[in-house]
Amino acid sequence: MGDSYAAGVGAGNQIRYFDGTCLRFDEAYPALLNDRLQPPPSKINFVACSGDNFPTIIQRQLNYYPLRRPWGDRPEFVTLSMGGNDIGFLELVELCIYSIPNIKDLSMECGDAIARSQRLVNSPNFVNDAINVIIATLHQGTSKRGRSFKIYLTGYAQFFNERTMQCNSVSFRPNYFKIMLKAKQYLTIDKRRTLNKIARDLNAGLREAVMRVNLGAPGRVFFIDYDRQFEGHRFCDRVEPNPDDAETWFFTYGANEAAIGDFLSSIPQVQDAFSGRSNGTMSDGALLRLLAEAAGDDPVKMDLIGDLTRNFPIVKYLNTARLHWRAYKNTILTPFHPFPQSPRIHSPCASSNINFLS
């Protein structure tokens, strides 16, 4: 369950069952986790959806999707990624990293986005809203499985090495947009520190939500912090921009810029959104789904939407390279090991057939 981090945008190939608008990919960490944990005939119910936030996770992933039967019969545990969309990560990316106007408010600047995200992530409402999702998920899982049902809530990695000097004059503004761009934003040390601090505050809020839920349901919810695995693999650890650097575990733009620009320019709603003709009514999540719908079932466009999700600046910053998903998977596996060096995977439940939701 969860947002684009759980959906795995850009990791492998897009999964197009039921609908393609959620941008789920077959090397997302839930799929990798499923390959490692699941003996047949166990199964994964993969309902994570790019762009979802606290309310839509409850509305769409818990209470809707009736044809998908997303919860199966007796789910044993759920992985959950949430919070980034609720504090405006996409606005930070658009304005502070890629110098692209925000489609909901064309007057917004980078400083406005930073102030908004800081306010939202440090508001008591953030922790309370996260608790509400956890409790709703725990209630639904417990009603089907009993008290052995568990939740693994995953955090977010800091995106930058904030100590190096070589990024001070670097901008990630892409070349393929044939639409209005703002002045270049540079990845100065101060900016990297500020954005990393927001990611740390986000993790702190999620960790507090887990702690508070566990006061009433001890041992049922776990916070998965994988940030340490990214040491040496963040943006600005080496010379940037370098889309071919395999040691950087976040996607950056690179190939097919001309084709991507043509694709974006061919979608009237995208042009309307960035020109202001849509009057700021299109959400970032709606834009992500619009791009998926535009690709349709055309194999050429499907390949292009795959490139877009790796390169499109609204997406790529929040969704990382394949090694990231493996790091994610390996960290999530830790609670299943009674001893750190044990080669054997242990289910958190007694059953040998594991059913989980993500």
Side-chain angles (χ1 to χ4, degrees):
M1 288 175 57
D3 54 22
S4 56
Y5 259 80
V9 177
N13 299 305
Q14 187 177 353
I15 302 170
R16 298 191 62 84
Y17 61 82
F18 296 109
D19 65 68
T21 63
C22 284
L23 300 176
R24 302 183 188 95
F25 282 70
D26 63 3
E27 290 191 30
Y29 79 82
L32 298 179
L33 186 63
N34 181 56
D35 291 342
R36 184 74 185 272
L37 283 180
Q38 303 284 354
S42 300
K43 63 182 180 181
I44 177 177
N45 292 291
F46 194 5
V47 299
C49 195
S50 299
D52 274 6
N53 54 20
F54 292 145
T56 55
I57 287 173
I58 291 177
Q59 294 163 8
R60 290 158 52 86
Q61 299 180 34
L62 282 179
N63 299 331
Y64 188 55
Y65 291 156
L67 298 179
R68 300 186 187 189
R69 300 181 64 248
W71 279 79
D73 296 320
R74 299 185 69 214
E76 299 194 31
F77 68 94
V78 61
T79 63
L80 176 60
S81 172
M82 62 180 183
N85 292 322
D86 300 271
I87 68 165
F89 259 10
L90 292 180
E91 288 85 350
L92 291 174
V93 173
E94 291 165 346
L95 293 162
C96 299
I97 309 299
Y98 295 105
S99 312
I100 297 173
N102 176 257
I103 57 177
K104 290 179 288 188
D105 183 356
L106 296 177
S107 67
M108 182 181 286
E109 300 292 342
C110 173
D112 302 322
I114 287 174
R116 178 174 179 267
S117 291
Q118 290 172 330
R119 174 176 56 82
L120 290 172
V121 77
N122 291 301
S123 166
N125 291 336
F126 178 83
V127 174
N128 292 336
D129 290 344
I131 288 173
N132 289 338
V133 178
I134 295 171
I135 290 176
T137 304
L138 193 62
H139 175 76
Q140 187 145 325
T142 302
S143 70
K144 293 176 175 292
R145 183 76 196 185
R147 295 184 61 82
S148 64
F149 176 80
K150 292 178 172 60
I151 298 173
Y152 297 88
L153 177 62
T154 55
Y156 295 80
Q158 298 174 79
F159 303 111
F160 298 105
N161 181 326
E162 60 188 41
R163 300 177 299 276
T164 57
M165 301 293 292
Q166 66 261 26
C167 273
N168 283 346
S169 59
V170 168
S171 171
F172 279 177
R173 190 175 77 171
N175 298 318
Y176 50 71
F177 267 82
K178 299 179 180 179
I179 51 183
M180 179 179 66
L181 293 172
K182 288 183 175 288
K184 284 186 177 180
Q185 294 286 330
Y186 294 97
L187 301 177
T188 64
I189 286 179
D190 285 345
K191 181 174 292 180
R192 282 178 269 153
R193 286 175 176 167
T194 297
L195 296 176
N196 277 352
K197 176 64 162 53
I198 292 173
R200 293 196 300 272
D201 288 346
L202 173 57
N203 284 340
L206 295 173
R207 186 181 286 107
E208 180 180 347
V210 169
M211 179 188 69
R212 287 168 57 180
V213 171
N214 277 329
L215 291 176
R220 304 287 304 282
V221 187
F222 302 87
F223 179 70
I224 306 298
D225 186 353
Y226 70 104
D227 180 67
R228 288 175 297 177
Q229 295 202 37
F230 270 68
E231 289 298 330
H233 304 288
R234 309 182 198 273
F235 287 137
C236 300
D237 271 320
R238 287 160 292 280
V239 175
E240 298 284 4
N242 184 5
D244 298 320
D245 181 8
E247 290 301 311
T248 298
W249 290 356
F250 294 97
F251 288 130
T252 55
Y253 63 85
N256 293 333
E257 289 197 30
I260 289 172
D262 290 340
F263 183 73
L264 292 172
S265 299
S266 71
I267 306 171
Q269 295 96 322
V270 173
Q271 294 291 336
D272 290 346
F274 284 97
S275 68
R277 290 191 294 270
S278 64
N279 297 318
T281 58
M282 183 185 297
S283 68
D284 289 304
L287 180 60
L288 296 181
R289 296 185 183 101
L290 175 65
L291 295 174
E293 290 168 357
D297 294 323
D298 185 310
V300 175
K301 290 183 177 180
M302 287 176 65
D303 287 342
L304 185 56
I305 197 67
D307 290 336
L308 263 173
T309 54
R310 294 178 181 87
N311 296 287
F312 185 52
I314 295 178
V315 177
K316 71 185 181 189
Y317 188 74
L318 292 177
N319 298 284
T320 56
R322 294 180 183 183
L323 288 174
H324 170 195
W325 302 116
R326 292 170 187 155
Y328 225 129
K329 175 205 69 174
N330 291 337
T331 310
I332 294 173
L333 283 173
T334 300
F336 293 84
H337 290 266
F339 306 102
Q341 302 302 319
S342 172
R344 181 182 176 187
I345 304 253
H346 292 262
S347 165
C349 311
S351 171
S352 62
N353 292 330
I354 305 171
N355 294 278
F356 80 95
L357 178 70
S358 190

